[in-house]
Amino acid sequence: MSWGAYSGVMIATGLKFIAGPITGFGLGLTWYETVIFTWMGAMITISLTLSMGKLIIGFIGRFRKKKAILFSKRVRYAVQIWQKFGIKGIAALTPLIFTPIGGSLLALSFKVSLPRVLFFMAISSLLWALLYTGAIYQLTFIREWFGQ
């Protein structure tokens, strides 16, 4: 396959995790290529977000019209996950709920050390890549939808 297809999977994963395996399937990649490039896309996005996290948070803050709500439903939910499970919970739910960018910023806001964030995000991303890719490549109605 071409690097364009691989890049497409990595970019799709960076924006919304499940989009990577769907893109890989749609482009006709093998399941292991899809898993590898889904994982790589998530980790590149997480690494970039963590390295530029303070800049991103400051940038968002500058354009916010009103002060952020401290106790919104979203914030309460994130704090509950943090209190119950710590970085492991944030990492486990990042591919499922938060997206790689959102999960990275959330971990950064709880002031978790970068090596811990990367370690748990790497494990979580690999497990979710295997699960999503395996499910997508096995479901027959998806195959029929793509005409394969």
Side-chain angles (χ1 to χ4, degrees):
M1 259 306 146
S2 72
W3 280 102
Y6 298 150
S7 298
V9 172
M10 290 189 290
I11 291 168
T13 300
L15 298 174
K16 182 67 180 163
F17 195 90
I18 196 165
I22 292 170
T23 302
F25 181 82
L27 292 172
L29 300 178
T30 62
W31 73 270
Y32 60 88
E33 288 174 318
T34 302
V35 168
I36 290 168
F37 289 101
T38 296
W39 181 76
M40 284 177 59
M43 292 311 299
I44 289 169
T45 302
I46 290 165
S47 298
L48 288 173
T49 304
L50 289 173
S51 64
M52 298 185 328
K54 291 184 180 184
L55 293 173
I56 293 170
I57 291 171
F59 183 75
I60 291 170
R62 267 194 296 167
F63 290 101
R64 184 168 269 163
K65 298 214 186 291
K66 58 183 180 177
K67 192 173 180 179
I69 300 171
L70 291 177
F71 298 107
S72 68
K73 287 183 182 181
R74 179 180 287 168
V75 171
R76 283 187 194 132
Y77 182 65
V79 170
Q80 285 175 347
I81 292 169
W82 175 255
Q83 288 175 338
K84 287 183 183 180
F85 306 107
I87 186 59
K88 293 175 186 173
I90 299 294
L93 292 176
T94 290
L96 186 63
I97 297 172
F98 299 126
T99 75
I101 296 170
S104 301
L105 291 174
L106 191 58
L108 197 62
S109 70
F110 286 117
K111 305 209 183 336
V112 182
S113 69
L114 297 183
R116 281 182 57 87
V117 174
L118 289 172
F119 177 75
F120 288 113
M121 291 286 193
I123 292 170
S124 174
S125 295
L126 182 59
L127 293 174
W128 280 107
L130 287 165
L131 182 74
Y132 279 149
T133 303
I136 288 168
Y137 276 66
Q138 292 304 313
L139 296 174
T140 56
F141 76 88
I142 293 175
R143 289 178 182 268
E144 292 168 3
W145 186 44
F146 278 104
Q148 292 183 355

